[in-house]
Amino acid sequence: MNTSFIKRLLTSSDSVAPLALRVPAGIIFMAHGAQKLFGAFGGHGLEGTGQWMASIGLEPGMLMAFLAGSGEFFGGLFILIGLLTRPAALVLAITMIVAIVSVHLPNGLFMSNGGYEFGLSLLAIAVSLVFSGAGKLSADSLLAKRVR
């Protein structure tokens, strides 16, 4: 096992700043993932989301709904607890890029018009976490100490 790679993956600054991003973003991503996967919070579940994704050209719709929902739900959970934060945040950043380009970009910036401002905010948070890591008070921090 390459402990050098694992150390770089898990180690981040000893700051609580990423926590301020991780907690709200993790909750938001998990809720959106739960809408797609389970129909929670007024969502359409996997089947309904899959049909919608197919209708906008993201085929196969059910697979795309599963990937987006799983990425959001489990990626959100992982960044919330700070576990494998960098890879989870990378998955979420890619998910947000796809959402912005395929759904929101033609509607302009503002959320009131179905625009991409919310997706852009979540993308910025995810990218920030890719670079910063989980910070203090995270599962990554605990694991990094054990690897040392």
Side-chain angles (χ1 to χ4, degrees), residues 7-28:
K7 282 180 192 174
R8 280 187 281 131
L9 181 71
L10 299 175
T11 303
S12 61
S13 70
D14 200 26
S15 170
V16 294
L19 182 66
L21 296 176
R22 286 188 6 243
V23 171
I27 292 167
I28 291 166

Side-chain angles (χ1 to χ4, degrees), residues 3 7 10-12 140-148:
T3 57
K7 282 180 192 174
L10 299 175
T11 303
S12 61
D140 285 351
S141 179
L142 293 173
L143 290 172
K145 287 176 187 170
R146 289 187 178 230
V147 172
R148 288 184 216 140

Side-chain angles (χ1 to χ4, degrees), residues 29 32-33 36 52-53 58 64-76 87-104 119-120 122-123 126-127:
F29 278 119
H32 281 267
K36 289 174 182 69
W52 176 76
M53 286 192 166
L58 293 173
M64 294 296 119
F66 176 75
L67 291 173
S70 296
E72 289 176 351
F73 185 79
F74 294 106
L90 180 61
V91 167
L92 292 168
I94 293 166
T95 302
M96 289 298 92
I97 291 168
V98 171
I100 290 167
V101 171
S102 63
V103 179
H104 302 289
L120 184 63
L122 292 174
L123 172 61
V127 169

